Amino acid sequence: MKRTTIVDVGRHAGVSTKTVSRVFNDEPHVSDAVKQRVRAAASALNYHPNVFAQSLVRRRSHLIGLVYEKPSASYVVELQEGVLERLEGEGYRLIVIPVQSVQQNAADIVGLLRAAALDGVVLAPPASDHLMILAQLDAAGIQYARIAPTRQLELGSSTLLDDVAGARAVAAHLLALGHRDIGIIKGDPDHAATDARLIGYGEAFRDAGCTMRLDRIETGLFTFDGGHAAGRRLLGGTDRPTAILVQNDEMAVGVMLAARELGLSLPDDLSIAGFDDAEVSRIAWPRLTTVRQPVFEMAVAATDMLIADLEGRASQRQTHHTNMLQVRDSTAALPRPTAPGDPSA
């Protein structure tokens, strides 16, 4: 079949090729009636504009990048779905740019974004907090929106989340259940969320009049394998905690496996709480107590602000989002010790 061209559309609509070009490039000085006639002709002929040719005319690529670092699969899906939801009908296409380590590859990331000729980029943590990347994007004139940053919030547009409050809430939940010997498995030291969540745990311990034991803190790097190994270290001896706070759900499921390998019953012998409310938290057994992060909503909001910046429209520079504690089956009250002669023993 012969490919339909802009010339065919012009003949069908009874207008010049230049007028058709003006319609599809959203140029001024074309009446609504002519626009309607041209678009009707394009639809009848099944014609679709060449986006690359349009990019050359407008000096815009209409490409939006999404930069993220090896997070859990469910986190990536929510990020992408949020960005794509907001791009629907806007004429932009998404370029996904996963990075193995933002810290190790920071010098190359902006070069990669420039080579991709992006109009703008959405930065997920930890790239959203990397000041060198932000400075180089500013120097290159590439617009950006940041998801959950914690530093220099005046730079770019940002969706903000209080990880300290979320961590404080989940730690307070375990403390209210009577647990005092609580282990902690933190994430990647290069992520600002790791420190923020540790601060939140500390605030909950302080409010309960307890001390957070440093010898009960392990690192799991936000991965299942890291959580499993850290869980084995915490639970392998006879002196083990009665509960564990884990800084994401993927690590928490790794801890669940370690506990079962050691013959522990959940939550009778051990309570486990995660963070993120990833899909795995709802299909694990027992279902995981966790903190819901509104990743999808933050991705939508960040993309909305980026589009507004690209189109020169006024918009919010920051949006605020709230974590929510999800209490499920993986946490339970610390059993009351029984005294000799207690009839309940």
Side-chain angles (χ1 to χ4, degrees):
M1 292 179 62
K2 177 179 175 290
R3 183 176 178 179
T4 304
T5 68
I6 194 172
V7 175
D8 300 321
V9 175
R11 287 174 181 161
H12 195 281
V15 299
S16 68
T17 301
K18 185 166 183 150
T19 297
V20 177
S21 177
R22 283 177 174 167
V23 170
F24 286 115
N25 285 309
D26 293 322
E27 295 180 16
H29 312 304
V30 181
S31 70
D32 290 340
V34 170
K35 288 180 182 178
Q36 185 175 358
R37 200 158 75 240
V38 168
R39 296 191 188 282
S43 177
L45 297 174
N46 196 27
Y47 170 78
H48 300 281
N50 185 316
V51 293
F52 295 105
Q54 287 184 321
S55 297
L56 290 174
V57 171
R58 300 174 181 176
R59 296 187 179 181
R60 294 269 300 277
S61 69
H62 275 73
L63 298 177
I64 298 293
L66 170 62
V67 175
Y68 61 82
E69 177 185 288
K70 57 173 185 181
S72 67
S74 60
Y75 184 87
V76 171
V77 169
E78 288 197 70
L79 275 178
Q80 292 186 17
E81 287 182 345
V83 175
L84 288 170
E85 172 82 11
R86 184 57 191 85
L87 291 181
E88 180 72 27
E90 289 286 353
Y92 290 93
R93 289 166 297 154
L94 176 63
I95 302 295
V96 176
I97 305 170
V99 179
Q100 185 65 20
S101 170
V102 167
Q103 188 65 26
Q104 294 176 15
N105 299 286
D108 302 323
I109 290 174
V110 176
L112 179 63
L113 298 178
R114 296 185 71 165
L118 301 176
D119 285 345
V121 61
V122 176
L123 300 170
S128 58
D129 257 329
H130 202 290
L131 300 183
M132 186 188 81
I133 291 175
L134 301 179
Q136 289 190 5
L137 287 172
D138 284 332
I142 300 176
Q143 300 271 22
Y144 56 86
R146 307 162 66 190
I147 293 178
T150 61
R151 303 166 185 156
Q152 291 194 225
L153 302 183
E154 72 280 4
L155 299 177
S157 300
S158 300
T159 61
L160 304 180
L161 188 67
D162 192 344
D163 267 344
V164 173
R168 184 170 58 242
V170 70
H173 165 68
L174 286 182
L175 291 161
L177 291 173
H179 295 280
R180 292 297 181 267
D181 189 352
I182 301 175
I184 292 172
I185 299 178
K186 61 183 184 178
D188 191 323
D190 291 333
H191 287 233
T194 297
D195 288 339
R197 293 173 192 178
L198 202 57
I199 290 169
Y201 296 158
E203 290 182 356
F205 275 76
R206 183 198 63 214
D207 292 345
C210 302
T211 301
M212 196 164 61
R213 286 178 54 177
L214 299 182
D215 63 325
R216 291 295 203 206
I217 301 176
E218 297 284 348
T219 300
L221 298 175
F222 287 131
T223 68
F224 172 86
D225 289 339
H228 177 256
R232 296 283 303 199
R233 292 193 295 271
L234 281 172
L235 300 172
T238 55
D239 176 30
R240 61 174 180 258
T242 65
I244 301 179
L245 288 162
V246 192
Q247 288 195 344
N248 81 343
D249 295 337
E250 193 166 346
M251 291 192 298
V253 175
V255 179
M256 285 181 161
L257 175 60
R260 289 200 175 93
E261 289 172 343
L262 294 167
L264 300 178
S265 174
L266 306 177
D268 296 334
D269 299 324
L270 177 73
S271 287
I272 300 173
F275 207 106
D276 285 346
D277 196 28
E279 183 180 5
V280 69
S281 72
R282 298 183 289 277
I283 61 177
W285 188 257
R287 295 181 309 148
L288 186 64
T289 292
T290 187
V291 177
R292 181 182 182 273
Q293 282 202 104
V295 177
F296 177 87
E297 292 86 346
M298 288 191 293
V300 170
T303 308
D304 182 71
M305 290 186 288
L306 179 59
I307 290 173
D309 288 340
L310 292 171
E311 302 295 335
R313 302 195 305 263
S315 73
Q316 296 174 265
R317 303 303 296 169
Q318 295 179 349
T319 61
H320 295 263
H321 302 262
T322 305
N323 285 312
M324 184 176 296
L325 178 64
Q326 306 288 322
V327 177
R328 298 193 179 114
D329 309 312
S330 67
T331 54
L334 183 68
R336 182 176 61 87
T338 56
D342 189 331
S344 64

